Amino acid sequence: MIYLDYGATSFHKPPAVRRAVLQAMERCANPGRGGYPAAEAAAETVYVCRETAGKLFDCKPEQVVLTSNCTHGLNIAIRSLVKPGGRVVVSGFEHNAVVRPLYAMGAEITVAGRRLFDWDNTLEEFEKALASGVEAAVFTHVSNVFGYALPVEQLAAMCQSHGVPFILDAAQSAGSLPVKLKKLGAAFIAMPGHKGLLGPQGTGLLLCAGQTAPLLFGGTGSESIRHDMPDLLPERLEAGTMNVPGAAGLTAGMRHVLRYGGAIRRAEHRQAERCARGLERLGFHVFSGEHQAGTVSFLPPFDCQEAAEKLAKLGFGVRAGLHCAPLAHESAGTLETGTVRVSFGPDAADSQTDAFLHAARRLTGAGGTS
């Protein structure tokens, strides 16, 4: 199978990631729960994960909270920053991991910037929303559906000029595009460990610079006499036993990104451009533009799910549907149809794209059978 669904998860992990997970399972007990060698090895494993994340994302190790996925981190960040019923501005391309927690809190949501690959529209609409008096902003770095890379540095500066704290959803950018907590000045940046960072599923990171509110309550291995959660990070947000093997694998993935990140970024971008151009030549409706990362969506001449199933039979792993982001599809006018999404990863190569375009050609006949 040629795997082109890196927007969902990285499927081909570096060998070092698998080795790190197995080694942690063999030598690590529970961090912070004992002074014997296996517990100390676990604590060291977790700390090295934080330390590596600090190098990659320009933050202190204690600002790195280990989560179970990006959604977990976004829920913590939103609960920490947004009051029930509060006024919040979001982009027109947010994932349900942002939208659903806000709706659950009864937030008053302003959607700013609906035009794909249009930085001017995004910035103009955010400026209006911020000037109207919102309490917080939440925006994705890259749309998981269309690969639209938003102008996050400009949005960050705009939020700071209005005194509005913001959360960045880096689910589709961490590991592929530069993400720096200190430079952006975000209150929180949430990301998965299993996508661009090449770690195991069930891992994630929340980078914290703002005031935090725990989402889960329980044991932390510290200050056990207290009835409330510790005040200091990261323990304040990490109740319960941690995923130590996951942290070990995530460290290995981040080290791979630290070493090869530039090459990964260039390869993904190149193949996304080649894929978009090739699909357009075949006559598909393709969503592409100037500000695009490693993901391309398109509309086949028949049902998207059927097209993805046919591509699967031809040996290609892609995703069809609404991609857990109905707001993005509403903005793009594809809410009723969804799209077929192709998302490249670290192994992106001309051979992958050429083979995919050859298979896509077979979809252009009636019912995709020719």
Side-chain angles (χ1 to χ4, degrees):
M1 178 182 70
I2 294 179
Y3 184 74
L4 298 174
D5 196 19
Y6 278 92
T9 192
S10 56
F11 182 60
H12 301 299
K13 312 289 185 182
V17 173
R18 299 192 294 270
R19 290 196 299 269
V21 171
L22 291 174
Q23 288 171 1
M25 295 179 72
E26 291 171 352
R27 61 187 292 267
C28 293
N30 206 337
R33 271 73 169 180
Y36 48 90
E40 291 180 347
E44 176 66 13
T45 297
V46 170
Y47 182 77
V48 169
C49 183
R50 302 190 207 279
E51 190 175 46
T52 306
K55 293 177 182 177
L56 187 55
F57 302 113
D58 190 22
C59 60
K60 299 176 182 178
E62 58 267 26
Q63 292 179 292
V64 179
V65 172
L66 274 61
T67 62
S68 59
N69 47 51
C70 187
T71 299
H72 181 193
L74 285 168
N75 272 265
I76 294 173
I78 289 169
R79 292 280 177 174
S80 296
L81 194 60
V82 180
K83 298 177 181 178
R87 299 185 64 193
V88 183
V89 57
V90 304
S91 84
F93 302 96
E94 299 307 312
H95 191 276
N96 277 341
V98 167
V99 176
R100 285 178 173 174
L102 289 174
Y103 272 107
M105 297 182 69
E108 183 182 333
I109 303 171
T110 297
V111 180
R114 292 281 198 162
R115 297 178 187 169
L116 268 174
F117 311 112
D118 188 336
W119 277 16
D120 288 340
N121 173 251
T122 298
L123 293 170
E124 289 170 7
E125 292 296 313
F126 260 88
E127 176 63 34
K128 292 177 184 177
L130 292 168
S132 71
V134 296
E135 299 170 13
V138 189
F139 46 87
T140 187
H141 194 165
V142 175
S143 166
N144 72 305
V145 181
F146 302 104
Y148 172 33
L150 276 66
V152 294
E153 292 187 9
Q154 294 92 322
L155 290 173
M158 193 179 290
C159 287
Q160 290 174 351
S161 68
H162 285 276
V164 175
F166 71 92
I167 300 166
L168 179 66
D169 177 359
Q172 300 293 324
S173 62
S176 298
L177 298 177
V179 177
K180 306 295 181 183
L181 179 64
K182 187 175 180 180
K183 180 179 181 180
L184 289 173
F188 299 95
I189 300 178
M191 63 192 70
H194 66 98
K195 295 185 181 182
L197 298 182
L198 307 176
Q201 293 175 348
T203 62
L205 299 173
L206 179 65
L207 313 182
C208 304
Q211 294 294 317
T212 61
L215 183 66
L216 298 176
F217 298 80
T220 60
S222 63
E223 300 187 63
S224 296
I225 194 67
R226 297 180 59 159
H227 293 295
D228 56 352
M229 293 295 287
D231 296 322
L232 298 178
L233 290 175
E235 290 91 343
R236 180 167 176 77
L237 302 179
E238 292 181 345
T241 296
M242 305 181 70
N243 181 1
V244 178
L250 179 53
T251 299
M254 288 190 291
R255 286 173 173 168
H256 187 92
V257 171
L258 281 166
R259 184 174 182 181
Y260 300 109
I264 292 171
R265 181 162 55 251
R266 290 188 295 272
E268 291 177 353
H269 181 69
R270 169 179 163 79
Q271 297 313 317
E273 286 189 328
R274 292 185 73 247
C275 182
R277 291 196 302 266
L279 288 169
E280 286 172 349
R281 286 194 294 268
L282 291 173
F284 293 104
H285 182 168
V286 183
F287 298 87
S288 64
E290 180 181 358
H291 307 292
Q292 190 158 19
T295 293
V296 177
S297 268
F298 69 97
L299 293 176
F302 51 97
D303 181 74
C304 288
Q305 191 62 50
E306 184 183 351
E309 291 172 357
K310 290 180 182 295
L311 287 168
K313 292 178 180 178
L314 294 171
F316 295 87
V318 299
R319 183 175 175 187
L322 296 182
H323 312 92
C324 300
L327 181 61
H329 284 281
E330 183 180 285
S331 295
T334 54
L335 187 60
E336 293 185 3
T337 62
T339 61
V340 178
R341 184 186 71 181
V342 181
S343 47
F344 293 92
D347 58 350
D350 287 356
S351 58
Q352 283 186 340
T353 304
D354 293 343
F356 173 75
L357 292 173
H358 180 75
R361 185 184 300 274
R362 299 180 63 176
L363 302 180
T364 59
T369 58
S370 66

